[in-house]
Every structure is written in structure tokens, then in C-alpha cells.
Amino acid sequence: MAEGYGACLINKPELVQDMVKQVRNQVENPRFSVSIKIRIHDDLTRTVDLCRKAEATGVSWVAVHGRTAEERHQPVHYEAIKIIKENMSIPVIANGDIRNLKEAQNVCHITGTDGVMVARGLLANPAMFAGYEETPLKCIWDWVDIALELGTPYMCFHQHLMYMMEKITSRQEKRVFNALSSTSAVLDYLTDHYGI
């Protein structure tokens, strides 16, 4: 917000429109997808206006996080996403507080959107869309294999494991795991505790 990009662009619809136009003008393939992700404005008519301007300029789809720029942990305004969807002819994707497959399906049903975008829910459970309520151990090992093969930096490697293991570890196990400071310590911990 302080730098003038991200969520503050909700207050600059002409700039967003120009950005979409510039991207469209640079890409020769008309089937190339150009999208925007927005938060809602306190005045929902301004949000709908922004989305319509982006659509008129050639945006392919819009992802809508159902909170204002100032809101962080307040409930998501799914009704606002529904109103935006009802006013658009391009696909609209709902975003915000989707933590499992049932919630994803419910949000689609409530909003009438064309899909959902998930962030923290997938960090905690990358197998969410396969119907798992918590991250299966196989998924954790898959992440370990991928991260080691690609040389993922330790902080990223460990952070993702912390998210994935949140539902399967006790408070005490979390304290121990979160304090680990090397890849070898993490691998030893996983082997000792999960036979992975």
C-alpha cells in the first residue's frame, strides 16, 4: 500500500485498465490469459466498476479476495464476490479463507463463481483438492524430495513443512520442530517421528 501497488490499486481503476491494456498490447497471442486479483472496495459499486473496466480492456478473468485492503482476519464478504460475479461476463474466481475442499465447494456455491483461489489452505494441506483433511505423510515426503532435488533454501523448506505438519503435530512437537535449524536436523526429526 505504501509503495502504491497491490491492494491500493483498487482506488486507481484507470491505472489498472491501462496496465491490462499495456500487457494485452505486448502479447501477440489473443488466447494468452491476462488476469487481475483484487480486494473489494468499501463501496462495492467502485469494485464492480473496476472489474468492468478491466473486462472491457481485455482481462481474461478476475480473482476477488472478499475483504477490503484494510481487513485482515475479518470474515470474508462472499456476498460481495457474488455481486461482482453477477455483473461480469468473464470468469470470476473467489478467494479468502478457504481451508478445505468442502469450504471450496461451499464458496463456489454461495458466490456462483467459476472457481476458487486458495493460499494458506494449500500451504497447510497441498493435498486438499484430492479430498484429504490433513496433509498425508506421502505429500510431506514428496515435498522433501522436491525441495532437496531443487536445492530449496532451508527457510522455505522448513516453513512449508511447518505449514504442512500443523494439523498432525502436538503443541510440544511443534515447539521442537519449529526450533530445528538445519536440513539434516529436519530429516532426522521426520525419520525418527514419522518413519519417513
Side-chain angles (χ1 to χ4, degrees):
M1 291 286 289
E3 299 295 325
Y5 56 87
C8 81
L9 293 175
I10 191 79
N11 296 312
K12 301 176 182 178
E14 289 76 20
L15 178 58
V16 172
Q17 191 174 19
D18 186 53
M19 292 166 74
V20 171
K21 188 183 303 181
Q22 293 299 327
V23 171
R24 273 281 169 231
N25 288 341
Q26 295 298 315
V27 179
E28 293 180 18
N29 182 351
R31 295 178 0 151
F32 185 83
S33 179
V34 177
S35 63
I36 60 171
K37 180 178 183 269
I38 63 166
R39 283 183 174 246
I40 60 172
H41 197 283
D42 286 324
D43 177 357
L44 196 54
T45 59
R46 290 178 64 182
T47 310
V48 171
D49 179 61
L50 168 70
C51 292
R52 285 180 175 161
K53 285 180 177 175
E55 180 179 12
T57 309
V59 78
S60 310
W61 54 276
V62 175
V64 181
H65 183 97
R67 292 188 178 102
T68 67
E70 294 76 27
E71 294 176 320
R72 291 289 172 252
H73 302 290
Q74 293 84 347
V76 176
H77 304 282
Y78 292 120
E79 187 62 31
I81 298 173
K82 179 180 181 179
I83 290 167
I84 294 165
K85 171 59 184 166
E86 290 169 348
N87 283 278
M88 304 295 293
S89 60
I90 58 173
V92 174
I93 308 300
N95 176 243
D97 281 356
I98 299 167
R99 293 175 295 267
N100 58 54
L101 184 58
K102 185 173 179 149
E103 286 179 3
Q105 293 164 335
N106 189 44
V107 167
C108 273
H109 177 73
I110 291 169
T111 62
T113 54
D114 302 282
V116 296
M117 179 181 285
V118 181
R120 284 181 293 207
L122 282 173
L123 285 173
N125 181 7
M128 180 178 98
F129 286 122
Y132 290 90
E133 290 296 318
E134 58 190 38
T135 307
L137 291 178
K138 167 110 174 66
C139 186
I140 291 170
W141 276 117
D142 287 347
W143 167 243
V144 169
D145 290 342
I146 291 166
L148 294 176
E149 182 180 327
L150 297 176
T152 302
Y154 175 75
M155 293 296 287
C156 179
F157 169 67
H158 187 238
Q159 184 72 37
H160 280 290
L161 285 170
M162 287 169 37
Y163 279 120
M164 285 189 258
M165 295 173 60
E166 186 173 346
K167 288 185 180 180
I168 63 172
T169 53
S170 68
R171 176 173 272 137
Q172 177 60 32
E173 288 173 319
K174 282 181 184 62
R175 274 194 221 107
V176 172
F177 186 80
N178 294 354
L180 298 175
S181 59
S182 71
T183 300
S184 61
V186 167
L187 296 175
D188 288 344
Y189 181 92
L190 292 173
T191 301
D192 292 347
H193 288 81
Y194 300 99
I196 299 178

